[in-house]
Amino acid sequence: MTVTAGSTAALALGDDALVLSHRLGEWAGKAPVLEEEVALANIALDLLGQARVLLSMAGDEDELAYLREERDFRNLQLVEQPNGDFAHTITRQLYFSTYQRLLYAELAAGDGQFAPLAAKAVKEVAYHQDHAEQWTLRLGDGTAESHRRMREACEALWRYTAEMFHPVEGVDVNWKDLETSWLESVSAVLRRATLDVPEGPRSGAWTAGAGRQGLHTEPFGRMLAEMQHLHRSHPGASW
Amino acid sequence: MVTRTTPFEGQKTILEEELHKLAGSVPDPELPVLTLEELGVLRAVHVRGGGAVEVELTPTYTGCPAIEAMSADIERVLHEHGVPEVTVQTVLSPAWTTDDISDEGRRKLREFGIAPPRTQRATGPVPISLGPTRTAAHTPGGAAETPPAVGPEADPVRCPHCGSADTELLSRFSSTACKALRRCLSCREPFDHFKEL
Ligand SMILES: [Zn+2]
């Protein structure tokens, strides 16, 4: 497979959507209330649709999703983080959907290869971001227990947020401006939710920030095994 | 035997118009009260050389699983009308919006018990809020009302059963990604609202 700047970029954005979609799908049957079960599944479906378009720009969507090794995935380490408790899932959603909405709005305004998809997806992502914000407010400004869990989740995932703004070859946006807007937006939501904006570093000691280069965290290998198992055992299976 | 006249660029032939009507009359697999034409997802029908027909279809949501069923239904209907070769292509641009649902489509949705999407007049780039975002009051246990990017307070979602404007949001996501679940405070009936996109 020839790797051009265009397909590197399509893989990065496509893998973000694919991996987060799979993580959200893991909530099926386990979400705290039925409405959330439906909401998370619908968000996962939106992301899967985006992933299919993006991966098809880089090659065969099924081969890319099911037959690549861990080191060949280009997603952010943030999206591969385990669901944890509901607060962790909501925090991951808040951090990522804010990023994705800002990024896609930029791409939609341009005339690059991602503009048509971004113009469509940014409207869907607006609902994802709204969902994450409303939950952040309810949990952060909720009970002592929900507040504590949100605070822990915000801090635990904070170290994966710098990587989102490492420039991706073939994605033509102003990454510095994107990062500034992201920090403003997320900080405003956290403050309204009576949560402190974490003060720790936004990238980890050694690997955090390397997902775009194919370095992933330990839980990703297990997720991938689960995701690829069926296709690898029964190539071409359908129902 | 159909003889194809050479149309000006962008002009439909009589045959293309006829095939467009046929393809457009296919019911939506998820909301069979609506046709694809009323839903606004059928973009174009082209007759190519040798009688092959190319159909352009746009998805409502990027991940809409119904698009495959729609393609298969269109192929079947056109085959039944003697078209030997049908290709259905998915196009993303310009992005589908709920404004593409026709007036007739909106009327049918309401009749079916689904509150139709409100019209969004905004054109141009997608509005995006930075910094302090929507200031919808968040009441513990209740979801806030403001949908992103749309939904002026002056234009409430009305109950499709009794027409009351006094309705509340129960869940942002309902049976499918395109709908939200609401409840009427006048007649107490829950109902689906086709979300603005
Ligand atoms: Zn009513």
Side-chain angles (χ1 to χ4, degrees), chain A residues 35-36 38-39 42-43 45-46 48-50 52-53 101-102 105 108-109 116-117 119-124 126-131 133-134 137-138 141 181 184-185 188-189 192, chain B residues 59-63 65 68 92-93 95-97 126-136 138 141-142 144 146-150 170-177 195-197:
Chain A
E35 285 79 5
E36 270 318 291
V38 174
N42 275 314
I43 294 170
L45 187 61
D46 285 345
L48 188 62
Q50 296 164 18
R52 293 188 62 184
V53 173
R101 186 174 177 187
L102 290 165
L117 170 75
K120 186 156 187 59
V122 73
K123 299 193 291 173
E124 299 162 6
Y127 280 102
H128 305 176
Q129 189 192 17
D130 186 56
H131 171 261
E133 281 188 18
Q134 297 306 328
L137 296 175
R138 279 178 72 180
D141 196 9
S181 303
E184 276 174 17
S185 180
V189 175
R192 277 171 57 212
Chain B
T60 51
Y61 279 69
T62 318
E68 280 164 28
L92 292 181
S93 195
W96 180 86
T97 105
V126 178
I128 176 155
S129 49
L130 300 181
T133 45
R134 293 168 296 282
T135 48
H138 67 287
T146 323
V150 281
L170 293 180
S171 176
R172 277 179 188 69
F173 296 88
S174 183
S175 50
T176 60
K195 283 186 288 191
E196 292 78 17
L197 189 73

Side-chain angles (χ1 to χ4, degrees), chain B residues 3-20:
Chain B
T3 318
R4 185 180 176 227
T5 55
T6 317
F8 293 111
E9 194 63 38
Q11 190 181 328
K12 281 191 254 178
T13 63
I14 292 170
L15 176 62
E16 281 173 337
E17 252 168 49
E18 196 182 308
L19 296 174
H20 193 112

